[in-house]
Amino acid sequence: MRFSAARVFWEGLTGNTGWTPHWRSPEPKSEYDIVIIGGGGHGLATAFYLAKEHGLTNVAVLEKGWIGGGNVGRNTTIVRANYGMPGNSEFYSHSLKLWEVMEQELNYNAMMSQRGVYNLFHSDGQRDAYARRGNTMINQGDDAHLLDRAAVRVRLPFLDHDNARFPVLGALYHGRGGTARHDAVAWGYARGADMRGVDIIQNCEVTGIDIEAGRVRGVQTTRGAIRAKKVGIVVAGRSSQVAAMAGLRLPIESHVLQAFVTEGLKPLIDTVVTFGMGHFYISQSDKGGLVFGGDLDFYASYAQRGNLPMAEHVMEAGMALMPMIGQAKMLRSWGGIMDMTPDGSPIIDRTPVDGLYLDAGWCYGGFKAVPGSGFSFAHLIATDTHHAPAARFRLDRFARGDLIDEEATGSQHNLH
Ligand SMILES: Cc1cc2nc3c(=O)[nH]c(=O)nc-3n(C[C@H](O)[C@H](O)[C@H](O)COP(=O)(O)OP(=O)(O)OC[C@H]3O[C@@H](n4cnc5c(N)ncnc54)[C@H](O)[C@@H]3O)c2cc1C
């Protein structure tokens, strides 16, 4: 089934009775060439690019819950390519280019909206750091503009520009950044992979990884054993637990990250704003809710839910940046489990087990990475060579001390 304006119009006239499920629900086969563990954004994008770029379609994506139930459907939907470190810079640049063609490629409306991202700065030192970052982005071929305080005052009049502690001195503006509807991204990749022959199997938890003589042979699942020549682990917050099934200990801690949404309001923020002196970022959804988030919980946990201390912490940052947010009623909050690495950057690599691959460590920034990660992980699994934009995301960099430490906060997971 192809989507088009004519189709929407016709279905509207005929009672919307012609829509069909977006993907099949096949029974798992006993054997596949490739099994992807985890039906989040990264796993589904990997399956899609395996089929599209490499013609590999004897592939299954095994998801323990339902498509869109993990972090891919829980994030604050911010997409950007404003990284400064070699490794991240080229990777996120590539990922943003894929975002820009993704809806056409998938024939799916993911509500990609390049509404721009403002990173505010509040001190001279922070301005210099953003100027440096902007230059890196431009050198990478992406867009960046350093705005002074007058320009930001005109563009974002609702901020507390003259806050005594954190005055707004300007912003780094990235016009090609923005937001997308998170679960639609998962649905679009699921549909795209399914249409090319990939089996997407929900309610199928992987409980063990079969290894013989140092080589992966398949997986054990709640729906039986499945043999596979190659297996990819792409399970976000559960990376350490699933890798442990293969005897691997990862340099990853899992932490909860929360997000919040207010009641629907009239159009107020037509862009994305990040606070430079606290961890706070905000945009407005198409339904009108203000969508915002902040820091990770400061301790490791697998609790996939929110808690009040962090809610208070995030609201405080929001009130410091834009006090009028105190007038809005909070509607909902939720949490997702983040796989935090010691340098805040991801891993796309082979593991010491032949045929077993790992895509993990996306921390709290992996939504924007979905297309790039899927593309690069598919390349690695299909060709056994690293895709150039992701070539630095090696598992052994932590042992070598070759960190990609974007935040310059060292090896403390919860500060990344
Ligand atoms: C509150 C919040 C806000 C965020 N905001 C942003 C943002 O604004 N911008 C941004 O870029 N990123 C953001 N992120 C981060 C981003 O959402 C994640 O980094 C990214 O979604 C992780 O990859 P994924 O989509 O594959 O994860 P998931 O959707 O979590 O997919 C992993 C899947 O693996 C499945 N799984 C786990 N164990 C097993 C098993 N044993 N067997 C089978 N399946 C298994 C899970 O059920 C899950 O569906 C945010 C995250 C949260 C929680």
Side-chain angles (χ1 to χ4, degrees):
M1 176 181 67
R2 275 196 69 76
F3 290 109
S4 65
R7 182 73 196 262
V8 171
F9 184 68
W10 175 251
E11 290 295 338
L13 290 179
T14 55
N16 284 305
T17 51
W19 302 116
T20 53
H22 288 195
W23 57 85
R24 298 164 296 130
S25 286
E27 284 301 311
K29 293 192 281 191
S30 60
E31 181 162 9
Y32 291 91
D33 290 339
I34 300 169
V35 158
I36 302 294
I37 310 175
H42 293 245
L44 294 165
T46 302
F48 172 76
Y49 290 116
L50 277 170
K52 176 175 177 284
E53 299 294 322
H54 306 281
L56 298 171
T57 56
N58 188 18
V59 176
V61 178
L62 308 183
E63 166 53 47
K64 75 171 177 180
W66 68 96
I67 297 301
N71 292 337
V72 71
R74 292 167 183 265
N75 59 69
T76 42
T77 77
I78 301 169
V79 173
R80 55 187 168 87
N82 57 358
Y83 283 71
M85 295 290 294
N88 283 337
S89 183
E90 61 268 34
F91 173 80
Y92 286 99
S93 178
H94 178 244
S95 193
L96 184 56
K97 291 187 184 91
L98 292 174
W99 274 105
E100 288 172 334
V101 297
M102 179 237 276
E103 289 173 303
Q104 286 72 26
E105 252 184 356
L106 297 176
N107 173 234
Y108 206 82
N109 180 10
M111 296 165 76
M112 173 66 176
S113 162
Q114 291 181 290
R115 56 184 68 183
V117 176
Y118 290 82
N119 295 131
L120 303 175
F121 54 80
H122 311 266
S123 69
D124 291 345
Q126 201 174 26
R127 181 200 54 221
D128 294 349
Y130 274 145
R132 216 166 29 243
R133 177 179 293 230
N135 286 332
T136 308
M137 291 160 64
I138 290 167
N139 284 338
Q140 187 60 51
D142 295 317
D143 64 297
H145 302 273
L146 201 66
L147 305 181
D148 63 14
R149 62 191 310 179
V152 177
R153 198 181 280 267
V154 170
R155 189 66 188 75
L156 306 172
F158 48 84
L159 301 181
D160 185 5
H161 291 268
D162 302 314
N163 184 295
R165 283 179 78 193
F166 310 128
V168 178
L169 301 187
L172 181 65
Y173 179 65
H174 173 43
R176 284 168 59 229
T179 60
R181 177 163 171 176
H182 43 21
D183 39 16
V185 173
W187 301 333
Y189 274 117
R191 175 174 170 270
D194 174 87
M195 282 168 61
R196 286 168 172 79
V198 171
D199 283 357
I200 294 168
I201 301 166
Q202 303 181 71
N203 299 311
C204 182
E205 179 172 358
V206 171
T207 53
I209 297 179
D210 297 332
I211 299 166
E212 281 170 25
R215 176 152 200 100
V216 77
R217 297 292 175 199
V219 293
Q220 299 291 324
T221 81
T222 46
R223 295 175 68 175
I226 299 176
R227 288 192 301 280
K229 298 184 182 73
K230 294 183 173 182
V231 174
I233 302 176
V234 208
V235 292
R238 300 284 174 181
S239 298
S240 305
Q241 292 175 325
V242 175
M245 295 174 193
L248 304 175
R249 186 158 179 259
L250 298 182
I252 282 178
E253 264 186 21
S254 290
H255 289 250
V256 173
L257 180 67
Q258 297 185 55
F260 307 85
V261 65
T262 69
E263 60 190 337
L265 302 171
K266 288 184 177 171
L268 168 69
I269 305 179
D270 60 356
T271 185
V272 179
V273 182
T274 76
F275 189 23
M277 294 309 279
H279 211 165
F280 182 80
Y281 33 92
I282 186 162
S283 64
Q284 188 166 18
S285 79
D286 293 325
K287 281 196 291 187
L290 301 180
V291 180
F292 54 95
D295 269 316
L296 296 169
D297 282 0
F298 296 130
Y299 50 88
S301 159
Y302 286 108
Q304 197 170 252
R305 59 169 185 265
N307 55 54
L308 286 176
M310 191 49 73
E312 184 179 6
H313 180 77
V314 173
M315 304 302 159
E316 278 173 357
M319 288 295 288
L321 178 65
M322 41 186 294
M324 52 84 138
I325 200 175
Q327 302 287 319
K329 290 195 182 66
M330 267 266 303
L331 200 62
R332 284 184 292 123
S333 72
W334 60 91
I337 309 168
M338 320 308 317
D339 41 336
M340 305 300 299
T341 57
D343 61 359
S345 294
I347 299 160
I348 299 182
D349 206 351
R350 286 183 284 260
T351 71
V353 178
D354 282 346
L356 183 65
Y357 304 82
L358 177 70
D359 181 311
W362 292 98
C363 304
Y364 48 69
F367 180 60
K368 66 183 79 64
V370 163
S373 162
F375 197 98
S376 294
F377 198 40
H379 181 99
L380 177 67
I381 294 173
T383 67
D384 263 314
T385 60
H386 289 272
H387 183 229
R392 289 186 185 227
F393 295 156
R394 301 294 178 92
L395 185 52
D396 70 356
R397 74 175 184 272
F398 304 99
R400 286 186 282 113
D402 182 19
L403 303 186
I404 311 174
D405 186 355
E406 196 76 34
E407 309 278 330
T409 45
S411 62
Q412 194 169 343
H413 301 72
N414 61 6
L415 293 182
H416 285 287

